[in-house]
Every structure is written in structure tokens, then in C-alpha cells.
Amino acid sequence: MNSKSTFVSAISGKEFSEKEKVSGRTIRVTIFNLIKEDHPDFDKSQFIAESELNVYREKYIAKFLKSEVGELTDLHKSVMHSLNEDKSFVSKVEDEVDNRTFGQVIADKVASFGGSWTFIISFFVFITIWIGSNVFILMNKGFDPYPFILLNLILSCIAALQAPVIMMSQNRQEEKDRERAKKDYMINLKSELEIRMLDEKLDHLIMHQQQELIEIQKVQIEMMNDILEKVNSKS
């Protein structure tokens, strides 16, 4: 009589009531695979107790939650690592080392001064003093009388020297702009690729989470059905 009302679990070797008997064929695949990890010899033709099945159901849910937390943590670390790399790369562009030669520094200063209001006003004052001193003070008998041949020579020399110096500065600035544009392109390309990678990770995470949540809901429904069957059998 006792042998008919009990059975021996295939995974623990313990005796349980016949009411708790669960066939391996009725166990969900995900739970069955989890049992196989601990008991490789277990197959669908064998039986386990419902209490043991509930232990593995809880273990499956706990494993899922742990894996989700782990995936979120890895995703967070990946994003932070990417952001740190971007920040480091941009700082390299912004904080470039000044490796200009002495001639390039002089050219930049001449170009900067030649294109300012300070130069224009100073040059206008210089010409006014030059012409005024020769015409009104020295009465066209000074060192550069009208038509101011010496002044024209000085202006021609300044223009002849200033033009190539400014061109040197412009050429170096164009080279610097090309290098900056290249680095900007690299930053934009890297940002686009990382956004795509992040989008793929989020899609994978959402799809995986949806599938796992559906599986967990099915497991919970099974557990609730087992509880309802027990309640109905007792009533």
C-alpha cells in the first residue's frame, strides 16, 4: 500500500507522495535543461517531485534576474568606456601641442597684427605724420618732399614683405584646418558606429528580455496552476 502511494525521485533518490509526481515529459525545456546541468542522467522518462521542480523553477528565475543585471552592468560599462574614449580623443584635438617653428610664430604674429585695427590706425597715423612733417613743417624741403618717393618705397617694401608672410600663415592655418577636419570626421564616424552598436545592444537586450519574461510568466502560471490544483484537491 505504501509503495503504491509513494515514488522515488530520479534526481534525489528520496521518496515522495504520488500526488507530487511530475514526469520529465511535462517539464518545460528551459527548466529541464537546468535540471540536466545538475543531473546529467535525468531524462524525460523519469519522474521528480513537484517540490523539487519548484526549486528549479525558482533557480531559473533567479538565474534570469542575475543575467539581466549582469547584461545591464556590462552595457553600462561599455557605454562609459566609449564615452571616456570619446572625451580623451576630443581633448587630443582641442589640446594640441604647439609645435610651430620660430618662423611660423613670427608669420602668425605678423598676420594677426596686419589684419587688426591697431595696424590700420597705427599705419594711418604714421603716414599722416610723415606727410604732415614734410609738407607743413619742412615746407617740401625735408628728407622726403612731395610726391613722397621715399614713403612710396617704404610702402612698397612693406607690402612686398607682408604679403608672403601672411600667405605663409594662411597656408599653415589651412593645413591645420585640414587636420582638424580629418579629426572631426574621425570623431563623427566613431560616434556613429558606437551609436549603431549601442542601438544593436539595446535591441538585443529588449528582445532577449521579452523572450525571457514570457518564459518566466509561463513558469509562474504553471506554479499557480499547481497551487490551484492542490487547493481544489483539498477542498
Side-chain angles (χ1 to χ4, degrees):
M1 184 69 177
N2 187 35
S3 61
K4 292 182 180 179
S5 61
T6 62
F7 77 99
V8 177
S9 172
I11 62 175
S12 65
K14 297 179 181 180
E15 287 190 1
F16 292 92
S17 173
E18 191 71 21
K19 294 180 180 180
E20 293 193 40
K21 190 176 182 179
V22 179
S23 173
R25 293 185 178 87
T26 62
I27 300 175
R28 190 168 298 279
V29 176
T30 52
I31 308 298
F32 183 84
N33 292 334
L34 197 61
I35 297 174
K36 289 280 288 184
E37 291 179 5
D38 295 338
H39 305 279
D41 297 332
F42 181 72
D43 58 50
K44 293 185 177 182
S45 63
Q46 296 176 328
F47 301 90
I48 63 172
E50 185 178 341
S51 58
E52 294 174 328
L53 179 60
N54 288 335
V55 171
Y56 278 96
R57 286 169 175 170
E58 294 173 0
K59 185 177 180 180
Y60 168 73
I61 295 173
K63 184 178 180 180
F64 164 74
L65 295 176
K66 184 178 180 180
S67 65
E68 287 300 308
V69 173
E71 286 187 13
L72 289 174
T73 302
D74 292 340
L75 183 63
H76 180 263
K77 289 181 180 179
S78 178
V79 173
M80 291 300 296
H81 182 67
S82 299
L83 291 175
N84 289 334
E85 283 189 350
D86 282 344
K87 184 177 179 181
S88 177
F89 191 73
V90 172
S91 65
K92 289 181 181 179
V93 176
E94 297 298 331
D95 301 332
E96 291 180 343
V97 179
D98 189 1
N99 53 2
R100 295 178 297 174
T101 62
F102 178 75
Q104 290 174 339
V105 173
I106 296 299
D108 289 343
K109 289 183 177 180
V110 171
S112 177
F113 178 72
S116 64
W117 280 106
T118 303
F119 171 77
I120 294 173
I121 294 173
S122 301
F123 200 65
F124 179 76
V125 171
F126 168 76
I127 293 175
T128 301
I129 293 174
W130 184 288
I131 295 175
S133 60
N134 280 277
V135 174
F136 299 105
I137 298 177
L138 301 177
M139 304 299 294
N140 271 333
K141 296 180 181 179
F143 55 89
D144 189 25
Y146 181 84
F148 314 113
I149 298 175
L150 180 59
L151 178 62
N152 289 326
L153 178 62
I154 294 174
L155 295 178
S156 299
C157 291
I158 292 176
L161 293 175
Q162 190 180 28
V165 171
I166 293 175
M167 290 181 63
M168 288 170 55
S169 177
Q170 289 178 344
N171 291 336
R172 196 191 65 80
Q173 188 62 41
E174 288 178 1
E175 182 180 354
K176 185 177 179 181
D177 291 340
R178 284 195 298 269
E179 188 67 21
R180 184 176 292 274
K182 181 180 178 181
K183 291 180 179 179
D184 289 341
Y185 170 76
M186 292 171 64
I187 292 173
N188 293 333
L189 180 61
K190 183 178 180 182
S191 299
E192 181 181 357
L193 292 175
E194 291 198 350
I195 289 173
R196 289 184 179 181
M197 289 176 62
L198 182 60
D199 186 55
E200 291 178 0
K201 288 179 181 178
L202 289 174
D203 288 341
H204 171 74
L205 183 61
I206 291 171
M207 291 296 296
H208 175 69
Q209 192 175 40
Q210 288 177 345
Q211 294 173 357
E212 293 292 341
L213 287 175
I214 292 172
E215 191 69 22
I216 284 179
Q217 288 178 350
K218 291 179 179 179
V219 172
Q220 290 174 338
I221 291 172
E222 286 182 356
M223 295 175 71
M224 291 179 64
N225 289 333
D226 292 340
I227 294 172
L228 289 174
E229 288 178 2
K230 287 184 177 180
V231 171
N232 292 332
S233 62
K234 289 181 180 180
S235 60

